[in-house]
Structures are given as structure tokens and as C-alpha cells.
Amino acid sequence: MDERYEPAAVERSAQQYWNEARSFAATEDPSKGKFYCLSMFPYPSGRLHMGHVRNYTIGDVLTRFARMQGRNVLQPMGWDAFGLPAENAAMANGVAPAKWTRDNIAYMKKQLQALGFALDWEREVATCDPSYYRWNQWLFLRMREKGIAYKKTGVVNWDPIDQTVLANEQVIDGRGWRTGALVEKREIPMYYLNITAYADELLGDLSSLGGWPERVKLMQANWIGRSEGAEISFPLADDARSALRAAGQAGDALKVFTTRADTLFGVTFMAIAAEHPLALAAGARNPELQAFIDECRRGSTMEADVATMEKKGRRTGLHVLHPFTGKPVEVWVANYVLMGYGEGAVMGVPAHDERDFEFASKNGIDIVTVVRPHDGSWQKAEAPWQVSYGDYGVIVDSGEFSGLESMAAVSAIAAALDKKGLGRKRVQFRLRDWGISRQRYWGCPIPLIHCEHCGEVPVPDEQLPVVLPEDLVPDGSGNPLGKTPSFWKVDCPTCGKPARRETDTMDTFVDSSWYFLRYASADNAKAMVDERVKYWLPVDQYIGGIEHAILHLLYSRFWTKVMRDLGLVTVGEPFANLLTQGMVLNHIYSHQPAEGRRTYFNPLDVDEEEQNGVKRWYATRADGSRLEVNYDGLGTMSKSKNNGVDPQSLVEKYGADTARLFMMFAAPPEQTLEWSDEGVQGAFRFIRRLWTAVYQHVSAGPAAPVDKSALNAAQKDLRRAAHQGLTKVTDDIGRRRTFNTAVAAVMELLNAVSRFDDRSPQGRAVAQEALEIAVIGLSPIVPHVCHELWKALGHREAIVDVAWPTVDRDALSQDALTLVVQVNGKLRGQITVAVDADEASIRAAALADETVKRFIGDATPKKIVVVLRKLVNVVV
RNA sequence: GCCCCGGUGGCGAAAUCCGGUAGACGCAGCAGACUUAAAAUCUGCUGGCCGUAAGGCCGUGCCGGUUCAAAUCCGGCCCGGGGCACCA
């Protein structure tokens, strides 16, 4: 071996070996336990970023570890290749999204290969390939046949200047990002997937996901948001009835859903969404109200905006009747009620709901108390709002229901409503159906044809896939597909007359909802999936960013259940174990000129200076000039903040192993990781120390085997350190998934080997064993250098194929233990006792310790707590 | 605003299921060795305060509680991050 560690050469030769040996090509082998290790596939944005490196290194460590444990491992990779950034790049550079995307894939694939991941590239998929997305289309048609896919109107952001639909991220402060025009809401027909039909199962099955982080399950449960309550109909008063009729609509009642039917007698107003039919009917005869409705419709639909905006409302002048008292209740239009939620209408009970309280106070609406607290702490709900107004209690002033407990009242009121035909108990989910239509080009075409004579006609299976033309370049004004007659001008498959092809494409979450199934059948051109999914699924370990905790994971779970119900797969849950890795953060530096835009500076170009305890930061610009900048704290690495670190330059400077080691060592995988250049150098230094230690050891020639019966105390100590280290590394990687502590354990072992200076045959034998354990233990994390070091240690077999070693229990055995002694819970001394010492002798030894005696003084111990193998606490 | 997570030395962190020696391991810093010199490398020290030392006191975001014993459990608060349905 070379004396110096040269990462480039080491990595080239290790990668060449894996390629030639096809080390990571997976084949189905029922005789071996399988391990399907999957990392979330990347969006091909152009270059890998550090989040990818972290994600894929975690997956790779687990993959290589499982391989060495004898599992049949599949670790595939692919590309989430449809999406908005390709269209944005097209607009900026005039390149077709297809070319941009494929060039990016080619480049990023090289980057992934340079990092030495144990990937089976023979199963690679890209969602923009017709051979992939044809199955989106095929399954969509199956869902449509089953009624799971259906059409209804949905609200979108409309840019009136570009005449185009905008994504939420393209709307900045209510204006289009390119045109600056005020964005309008528009209702258009869209296709939806009936995920709410699976809501109960998606919620219930969470409890079977033992290998998922609790917090992710909790987030999903909250998202699904099952609530038990009642649906209540408020009959329309004559004014409302006639207004609706005038608007050409029919209706007898205003329906709401509430979890607090017990507060029904406290209703003093009704609030409806601006898009509610009753609101539109009222607006038609009231210009002022219509203006307010228009204003609401311009507002954001994003939950965060709706929740934080000022709650505004206007009276409609129309009324509904209370289902029990028959008293008229006025209907208001409110900007915080959304048409897409529940019934698009809520009953207003200001005394017992904070939002209603705020609304009523502002608009001079009555507040009627109908619940009293058990502790009698208040009688009447009055300003300011108190949290306990919303609690359950005893019902008052509610007719026949007065005196009931809230819980009992909910049931009794629902039952009474049921009898009157004005309501019933109902379960409501917060979860809404999944709208998959996108008025965009770079996505999977929806396989439908609109015919004047036959209506909506599915593209026949044998004509799939509907291929997306790849030569279009979006310009920001509308969907290019709509301007391409060669795409949309088709003959109706049913009647043969001229018809129009659907030009909307699918949400890219569709693409990523089943790619993990396709890897198992990637080469099958005849079917979406085949029997090989039975062998590989479920995924044994899924790894991805915490930012996907809800949407992607929920959609994938839903899609898998649909495919199961269609008989295509046998599993109901796709991911048995989930690891959500934290984000990669870096410092943010910016400069805000008196006029103009804030500019961000890359941390690499910023120096810190400290004068008189005051820190200042200076950026060096491309022309060499310096500028004082602000430090804005830590944030996720992003282009917009210019605080990304390019993995490529890191690999070129230090090698892939250093990049991998730093990522694994700097923080446990689930936590955020702060970038540190010094930390990277430290990782590199450690690899070099390991290299030097092995070099010095093997330079003295081959070592003899260990003779366990012929070891002196120091040799036994090193063996114990080695096997303790192995125990820890095995547990940390295999069970705890804390790679940072696994690395620390190997570092400790290497420190012990370095201190150990014994050139005797048994000394060298023990050193050899310790170095082998260090190299094996580190090999899943830094596979290239370990490949080389393993050879240098005298082995023929490549380390990638070596079995993970077992711990030698004999090496761990010890004769004596050190216990700590506390007096009143404070550490006062240490005692050494035999491993098998009984409690009485430990007690005696503790009381005999000089320092302990000093602290006990004349007092008699009241209590002595002995925790075996750990400590003694003397209480005086 | 709502849901979820986190907060421990100058810094990243460790203390594992189920409360038991707080700060493993690394970075940065300081001192020393090697060198003509520098870099690299190696060795030692490194939570704060008091003390020549032995040793003592304080210390895990803040306030309070449970316990022989709390970073860990409970209640309340402050701060930071993630998600909120068309970014992926």
C-alpha cells in the first residue's frame, strides 16, 4: 500500500471493482432474507445538493451493513423528473424541459456514482419516460372505472395578464411572480382522487407502522383529522328561500357540520364561504356584498394565510331558522370560511368558540352563553375571551337539553335532530380529496378525450401511453399543450368524430406515489408491476426528508391501498420502516442596499472579524472588493439564500469518503445538520490517521493469529476495547441508526490502538484484530478507503463481501467494576468491587471510602440506595 | 394562527430500552515536540467560579413540581426549525 492516502486513486479503484463485480445488482432469491432499502428519489434540478448526499449516504450505510449481515439487498435509484423547475428553466433559457431534465439526470447520475453508493442502476426509472408514466395513465383509468378518480370544480390561482394558472409558490403577496398582476381565484373543472374514502384505513393503519417515527404518525393523524360530530340543517327563512330561487337555485336548508352540537342553542349567526350558493344569491341583489365577495375570492386559499388574516364578514340580510326554536338567525359571509372545507358554512357560537367570539365582538353580534363550567369559575362568557369558554360543561338555557353534560347533550341533540329530519351524527375528516389536475406542460398527460357527442371518453388502453411532446418550450402564458393542435386534435375513440384531448397533466405527487413498486418490475413493458413486487415489498427501510412527512407519504400509502384493492399488489402499507432525516443548514449572509434588492453571499466568501468583542462580517466580491454584510443566522441550504455547498467541489478536494464521513459524524440522522468546513477537514484527518495506522502496522509484516490464552493485561485491554467498539458500532448502525456515535466508537478504538505500542507477536496479533474491527466497522460509511485498507491488512476477499464480525464475549469479560458513591445525590467517591460482589459488600465498601466518610460525618445514614453495576447513594 | 420537532461548554454533539458519574467523540483554542522556517504530524490541557494545591460551589433555554437521585418524568412559559394540500 502507499504511505500517503490519495482519495482519488483509492476511490477510482474501489468503484471499478464494484462495477466489474456487479456487486450491487440485485436478484430475487427466495432462499435469502431480503432487505429493500430505499431513499427518496431526487428531483433532477441540475446538481446534487448536500441534502441528497446526506439522504443517500444514510441509505448506503444501511444497505452495506445489511449486505454484510447476509441480507439480499436492493437499493435502487431513479428520478422524480416532472415538475415546475424544468418549465422555469425553459422560460429563463429557452431550453425544452425535456432536454434540460435529461441533461441534468446525466450529470447527477455521474455525481451519485462518484459518491460510491451501492446502487442497482439496472433498475433506474425516470418518471418523465413514457415507459414509466404510461402506468400513471393506466392506473388513473382503472381508478376512474372504480369511481376513485372523478371530476369536480376546484379553485386555482389565475394570473390575468399571463392568462395562466399559478402554483402557490408563484404567488408573492397576492401577485403573480412574473407579471405582478393581482392574482384571482378561478373555479375550473379538475380531476380528483377520492382519498377520503380511504381516510379511516389510512388513519387506522398508522398503528401498524411500528417502524415509523411517532411524530410522523402523529402529523399524519392530525392531517387526516377525524372528528366526530353532527351535521345540522338550518331551514331557510322565506328571505333566503326567495333569494336562492331568484338566482335560479333550489334549496331548503343551510347545512353545517359541528363537533359542538351541545352549543346549538348558543348560535347567534351563521357564517358561509364567499363561494357558497347562498352568498352568491345574496350578492346578486346587493352590490356592496358582491364587492366583498369579490374581495374574498381574490384572497389566498392557503391555510396559513386564512388562519392569520383579519377575520372579516358582511351581513347578507338573509336568515335561516333555528332547528329547535325556529328563531331566525342571520347569515353572514365570512372570509375565514372556505368552500372546500366541510359544508362551506359554519354555525356561529360566539360564547364557546374563540373565532366566533372574535367575529361576533367585532360585528356587534349577540353572545349567548349555553355552557357553564363544572368549577363555577364563570357564569357568562364575556370579553376578553378565556380558553375555558370553549371547554365542556353543563348545558344551560337550551330548552329540554338544559342540565345535560356536554357529551350527553351532543348525543341527545343529534338524536332529536335525526327525529326531525334536520340532522344526524356524522364523522368528518379534515382530509380533502386529492386534486391531481395541473394546467401545466411538463407532467404526465391525463388520458381523456372530450367529445361533443360522447362526452368524456377514456383513451383506450391499447393507445397508451398518451405521449407528451418533448419539443415544446413554455413561455409563461398558459399551457403550451393547449397551443399545440397536433397534441389535442384527435378523433373520438368512440364515435370517430373530431374531439379534443385533455391538456391538463397530473400532479407530480402521482409520479412519486408508486415508483418504489416500479423498481421491482422496472424492465416489464407489459405490466405496471409483476410478481417480483411480492418478493421485495414492503420497503424495509425508507429514508427521506422530514419535509415529506405528510403529503408524499400519505399519497404513497393511499396509492398502494388502491393498487391492493385492484389486485395488483398484496401489501397495504408500502414502507415498513421510515427514517426522516433532518435538513442540512448553513450560515446566511446578506447585504441590503439602501435601494434595490437584498443580495446574499456564499459563506465561503465571507470572513468573520472580531474587534472589542463585536463581530463583523465581510464578503469578498468577484472583483476582489470587500463589503460588510449581515449575519442572518442558520437556514436550510438553498439557491435563494446562496448558502449551498456544492458536493462536487467537496468530493474533488477531499474525496467521497470524507464527504460521507462528515455527513454521518456531524449529527444524528434525524436532526438538522450544520455545515462546517472545519468539520470536513477533521473527517479527512481522521481517515488519514486510520490510513497511517494501518500502513505502520502492515509495514512490519504479517501478524500472527491471536492466542487468547497468552495475553497480558494491556493486550486484554485492547481486545476488550476492540470488541466493545464492535458491539457499539453494530448496535448503533443496526438498531439505533445513530451513525455519529458509531463513528465516535471507531475513533475511540483507533485512539486505543495508537496508544498501544507492543511489537511482540501477540501484541501485533491483537493490534491486527483491532484494526480489522475498525476497518470493517467503518466500511459501510467510508467504503472506498476501507476496501483498500482491508486488502492491505492481508485479505483477498473484498470487504464489501465480508460477513459482519461477531463479538467475542470472552474479550469483554472483566474482573472488577468501578462504582460511584454519592452522598445525598452528590458524587463523592469511587469504589472498585468484584463483578459478582453482593449488595452488602458494596455497601460496606462505599461506607469505607475516605471522602464518603468525610461527608457523612457523625450522621447515621437514613437510607442507602445500591444500583448494581452503577452506583451507591448514601442518604443522611 | 394550527399541527409536529428541537434547545446541553467557544462550536457540532454524547449520556441508548426503562431517571443513576453531564460533556464521550470531534472542531476550534492554548502550550509543547519535530522543522532553518512554515505547513503537515505527534503529545498535553481545555464548562464556569473560588483555591498555590487538595478540594469546593454552580451548571443541560426559563419558572415550578415529583424523586434518595432529573438533560431525562410532570405543569407553565420563551426561543429556533419543519409542515399547512399547485415547490418537490
Side-chain angles (χ1 to χ4, degrees):
Chain A
M1 79 185 278
D2 293 332
E3 184 175 358
R4 263 178 68 92
Y5 168 52
E6 301 281 0
V10 167
E11 291 176 7
R12 204 178 311 117
S13 94
Q15 286 169 13
Q16 195 182 340
Y17 173 84
W18 300 327
N19 283 336
E20 284 168 8
R22 286 183 71 234
S23 298
F24 310 122
T27 47
E28 295 72 23
D29 179 354
S31 69
K32 279 167 96 182
K34 61 94 184 179
F35 185 79
Y36 183 178
C37 185
L38 178 72
S39 291
M40 290 181 184
F41 63 168
Y43 178 80
S45 56
R47 327 195 94 200
L48 241 39
H49 56 68
M50 283 299 168
H52 293 131
V53 177
R54 190 178 193 196
N55 194 157
Y56 303 146
T57 303
I58 294 167
D60 203 49
V61 172
L62 294 172
T63 291
R64 290 172 178 273
F65 179 73
R67 256 187 71 98
M68 293 174 86
Q69 298 261 42
R71 310 283 287 275
N72 187 31
V73 177
L74 167 61
Q75 187 182 219
M77 186 52 73
W79 308 95
D80 188 11
F82 276 137
L84 208 50
E87 298 196 28
N88 294 342
M91 284 183 252
N93 311 316
V95 198
K99 177 170 168 40
W100 183 83
T101 302
R102 290 188 211 286
D103 288 351
N104 287 348
I105 288 175
Y107 183 78
M108 289 169 76
K109 185 170 176 177
K110 274 197 194 133
Q111 289 190 298
L112 287 174
Q113 287 168 331
L115 283 159
F117 297 132
L119 295 164
D120 180 358
W121 283 106
E122 294 167 27
R123 296 164 184 263
E124 180 180 3
V125 299
T127 59
C128 64
D129 287 343
S131 60
Y132 182 86
Y133 66 69
R134 73 173 292 178
W135 302 111
N136 284 353
Q137 297 172 346
W138 182 81
L139 199 80
F140 172 82
L141 294 178
R142 300 292 84 75
M143 289 189 184
R144 190 171 166 279
E145 287 160 6
K146 289 226 153 201
I148 298 167
Y150 67 95
K151 190 179 188 175
K152 70 170 180 183
T153 59
V155 182
V156 294
N157 303 308
W158 178 255
D159 184 319
I161 294 183
D162 264 350
Q163 296 281 300
T164 195
V165 175
L166 299 178
N168 285 338
E169 70 160 8
Q170 296 174 318
V171 180
I172 299 156
D173 297 330
R175 292 171 183 275
W177 64 325
R178 283 155 45 87
T179 62
L182 271 180
V183 169
E184 298 167 11
K185 284 196 243 173
R186 274 211 173 178
E187 283 196 48
I188 58 169
M190 302 211 287
Y191 293 93
Y192 283 81
L193 302 184
N194 188 203
I195 189 172
T196 51
Y198 285 79
D200 260 323
E201 198 189 344
L202 287 166
L203 183 66
D205 285 356
L206 285 174
S207 60
S208 71
L209 297 175
W212 280 42
E214 284 306 320
R215 59 169 162 156
V216 174
K217 289 192 277 184
L218 197 56
M219 280 193 259
Q220 292 221 345
N222 289 335
W223 186 260
I224 295 168
R226 184 191 149 95
S227 53
E228 291 182 8
E231 176 187 293
I232 303 178
S233 293
F234 287 73
L236 299 182
D238 292 341
D239 53 10
R241 204 178 286 266
S242 64
L244 258 191
R245 204 176 307 120
Q249 303 235 25
D252 298 320
L254 179 63
K255 209 191 264 183
V256 300
F257 175 84
T258 177
T259 56
R260 292 298 304 271
D262 58 317
T263 64
L264 180 56
F265 285 77
V267 170
T268 54
F269 70 99
M270 304 295 288
I272 60 175
E275 293 89 353
H276 196 282
L278 198 55
L280 300 177
R285 39 163 80 176
N286 179 343
E288 203 189 324
L289 179 64
Q290 187 59 47
F292 178 70
I293 290 173
D294 291 341
E295 184 193 325
C296 289
R297 298 180 76 168
R298 271 196 298 278
S300 168
T301 50
M302 286 165 70
E303 191 184 317
D305 294 337
V306 173
T308 49
M309 73 190 172
E310 192 191 351
K311 317 250 174 318
K312 286 190 206 164
R314 291 285 185 285
R315 36 180 92 227
T316 60
L318 306 180
H319 298 79
V320 295
L321 305 175
H322 190 279
F324 287 107
T325 65
K327 273 203 263 179
V329 181
E330 181 157 19
V331 179
W332 291 65
V333 176
N335 63 352
Y336 63 88
V337 180
L338 294 182
M339 199 55 215
Y341 281 46
E343 303 292 337
V346 296
M347 63 182 212
V349 184
H352 306 292
D353 179 276
E354 185 171 11
R355 201 164 51 174
D356 294 345
F357 184 91
E358 194 189 322
F359 188 83
S361 306
K362 194 149 62 192
N363 294 298
I365 297 173
D366 287 348
I367 296 172
V368 176
T369 304
V370 291
V371 181
R372 291 250 173 84
H374 292 296
D375 61 8
S377 56
W378 47 268
Q379 289 290 302
K380 222 176 149 191
E382 291 169 318
W385 171 261
Q386 288 179 30
V387 178
S388 58
Y389 292 169
D391 292 345
Y392 281 162
V394 180
I395 305 305
V396 296
D397 295 333
S398 299
E400 59 189 289
F401 306 103
S402 300
L404 291 176
E405 295 284 323
S406 286
M407 294 275 245
V410 168
S411 295
I413 289 176
L417 284 168
D418 208 346
K419 225 178 248 172
K420 286 169 168 274
L422 289 177
R424 60 189 173 94
K425 275 203 161 174
R426 196 179 91 187
V427 171
Q428 169 81 21
F429 291 96
R430 205 185 77 96
L431 180 69
R432 311 195 304 251
D433 275 347
W434 175 14
I436 59 157
S437 293
R438 296 292 180 271
Q439 297 68 41
R440 264 183 265 291
Y441 160 58
W442 191 235
C444 168
I446 294 175
L448 293 172
I449 290 167
H450 304 284
C451 171
E452 276 184 35
H453 310 279
C454 310
E456 188 182 288
V457 181
V459 174
D461 284 358
E462 61 275 13
Q463 288 177 29
L464 296 180
V466 175
V467 177
L468 187 71
E470 297 208 345
D471 52 351
L472 306 184
V473 182
D475 60 6
S477 65
N479 183 349
L481 291 176
K483 299 181 232 169
T484 308
S486 59
F487 177 76
W488 60 260
K489 267 192 169 170
V490 286
D491 293 335
C492 171
T494 307
C495 68
K497 291 185 184 140
R500 191 180 169 94
R501 190 189 291 288
E502 171 69 45
T503 56
D504 280 1
T505 52
M506 296 186 196
D507 179 6
T508 57
F509 274 122
V510 168
D511 309 325
S512 56
S513 288
W514 67 281
Y515 73 107
F516 43 89
L517 299 170
R518 187 62 186 170
Y519 284 139
S521 317
D523 58 3
N524 193 329
K526 299 236 156 55
M528 185 175 189
V529 289
D530 56 39
E531 71 289 345
R532 287 173 291 176
V533 296
K534 274 208 190 88
Y535 178 76
W536 291 114
L537 269 286
V539 170
D540 295 279
Q541 180 68 61
Y542 196 29
I543 305 126
I546 182 68
E547 68 275 19
H548 294 291
I550 297 175
L551 293 179
H552 162 62
L553 291 170
L554 192 68
Y555 291 149
S556 298
R557 295 180 59 220
F558 160 66
W559 199 274
T560 302
K561 288 176 194 301
V562 171
M563 285 183 69
R564 176 204 59 197
D565 290 347
L566 289 166
L568 294 164
V569 300
T570 50
V571 290
E573 285 292 341
F575 313 121
N577 294 287
L578 174 69
L579 192 155
T580 48
Q581 120 244 3
M583 308 277 223
V584 182
L585 310 180
N586 200 0
H587 303 283
I588 302 169
Y589 300 96
S590 69
H591 177 71
Q592 173 74 64
E595 274 182 38
R597 288 177 80 159
R598 178 181 287 267
T599 50
Y600 289 90
F601 292 86
N602 194 283
L604 278 178
D605 303 325
V606 176
D607 302 307
E608 182 178 285
E609 285 174 22
E610 192 171 340
Q611 286 168 346
N612 308 324
V614 181
K615 285 181 182 168
R616 289 167 183 273
W617 296 271
Y618 296 91
T620 308
R621 287 184 281 202
D623 62 5
S625 64
R626 272 162 68 86
L627 177 73
E628 183 168 355
V629 294
N630 286 322
Y631 176 54
D632 301 335
L634 284 165
T636 53
M637 285 189 179
S638 72
K639 237 179 219 173
S640 62
K641 297 282 164 64
N642 191 12
N643 65 340
V645 175
D646 184 6
Q648 201 58 32
S649 60
L650 189 66
V651 170
E652 280 160 19
K653 192 165 173 195
Y654 296 102
D657 281 336
T658 292
R660 297 169 56 122
L661 180 63
F662 169 72
M663 285 280 163
M664 295 301 96
F665 181 62
E670 307 228 300
Q671 267 179 47
T672 54
L673 182 148
E674 288 177 34
W675 187 256
S676 155
D677 286 309
E678 294 80 12
V680 172
Q681 285 169 37
F684 181 73
R685 259 201 305 267
F686 171 68
I687 296 176
R688 200 165 49 192
R689 275 185 56 212
L690 180 68
W691 180 278
T692 307
V694 171
Y695 176 80
Q696 286 173 351
H697 173 78
V698 302
S699 299
V706 173
D707 176 358
K708 286 202 232 174
S709 61
L711 302 179
N712 64 29
Q715 291 161 352
K716 276 186 184 162
D717 284 346
L718 183 60
R719 269 208 96 211
R720 188 180 315 111
H723 284 268
Q724 275 172 350
L726 176 60
T727 307
K728 179 139 182 68
V729 171
T730 308
D731 190 47
D732 284 352
I733 297 179
R735 181 183 65 89
R736 297 180 66 210
R737 317 249 130 126
T738 51
F739 312 109
N740 56 328
T741 52
V743 173
V746 178
M747 286 174 166
E748 276 187 83
L749 176 55
L750 186 65
N751 289 343
V753 177
S754 304
R755 277 195 301 271
F756 183 77
D757 188 23
D758 179 347
R759 299 300 194 90
S760 71
Q762 275 310 300
R764 296 204 64 243
V766 172
Q768 170 90 16
E769 185 187 14
L771 284 171
E772 287 186 359
I773 286 175
V775 169
I776 288 184
L778 227 40
S779 70
I781 297 171
V782 285
H784 307 91
V785 69
C786 291
H787 177 84
E788 196 65 30
L789 293 176
W790 187 249
K791 282 197 287 182
L793 283 165
H795 298 279
R796 278 245 177 112
E797 192 186 9
I799 195 167
V800 70
D801 294 320
V802 166
W804 192 263
T806 46
V807 173
D808 182 353
R809 301 233 150 250
D810 295 343
L812 297 177
S813 70
Q814 264 176 295
D815 305 331
L817 285 175
T818 302
L819 305 187
V820 290
V821 185
Q822 300 177 328
V823 178
N824 287 336
K826 289 198 179 196
L827 177 64
R828 296 304 180 192
Q830 293 194 341
I831 53 173
T832 304
V833 298
V835 183
D836 52 1
D838 60 6
E839 207 173 308
S841 56
I842 291 172
R843 209 178 270 246
L847 292 173
D849 183 86
E850 283 306 318
T851 323
V852 173
K853 270 192 205 163
R854 187 150 55 82
F855 277 90
I856 295 174
D858 305 334
T860 339
K862 283 185 201 147
K863 189 173 178 181
I864 301 177
V865 182
V866 178
V867 182
L868 287 176
R869 303 182 74 89
K870 285 223 169 99
L871 60 61
V872 181
N873 188 10
V874 183
V875 186
V876 294

